[in-house]
Amino acid sequence: MEGDNKLVNLIDDWEVLADYAGDKLGFYQLLGSDGEIEVRVQTGRLGFKKEFAKGDDPELLTILDVCKKRCYIQISEHLRDEDFFK
């Protein structure tokens, strides 16, 4: 299983990822848990994730704006290849 060994390198600074991304293809995901919102963004092998207490947090809105302007693809969930078609 080739995909099982691939890693995403997480970074803590959103600006580093935004600068690194340039015109690269990117993906993002929003997850909700216990009233908090977690955003995850990946481009290449770099990833960023952070939890926010509110959906109107200025940093969260900035991150989502960048994702939308760069046409990043929003991921709703993930499945194994063999489970996609039944």
Side-chain angles (χ1 to χ4, degrees):
M1 305 237 169
E2 183 180 304
D4 291 339
N5 295 322
K6 295 185 179 185
L7 299 175
V8 174
N9 297 303
L10 294 177
I11 58 174
D12 293 328
D13 187 343
W14 164 251
E15 293 299 323
V16 171
L17 183 78
D19 289 344
Y20 165 81
D23 293 331
K24 293 179 181 73
L25 177 64
F27 303 91
Y28 72 101
Q29 185 177 42
L30 293 171
L31 303 167
S33 175
D34 298 327
E36 293 191 342
I37 297 172
E38 180 179 40
V39 64
R40 295 179 180 202
V41 183
Q42 179 185 352
T43 182
R45 294 188 55 198
L46 282 186
F48 171 84
K49 68 178 189 172
K50 186 171 181 177
E51 290 184 359
F52 296 90
K54 296 189 233 174
D56 62 351
D57 183 285
E59 184 180 13
L60 174 61
L61 295 176
T62 297
I63 292 168
L64 293 176
D65 186 54
V66 169
C67 290
K68 290 174 184 171
K69 283 182 179 175
R70 294 185 178 174
C71 298
Y72 285 4
I73 298 168
Q74 184 173 4
I75 304 297
S76 59
E77 63 181 299
H78 63 274
L79 300 171
R80 298 182 66 79
D81 288 348
E82 60 267 16
D83 294 333
F84 185 72
F85 291 112
K86 298 202 181 228

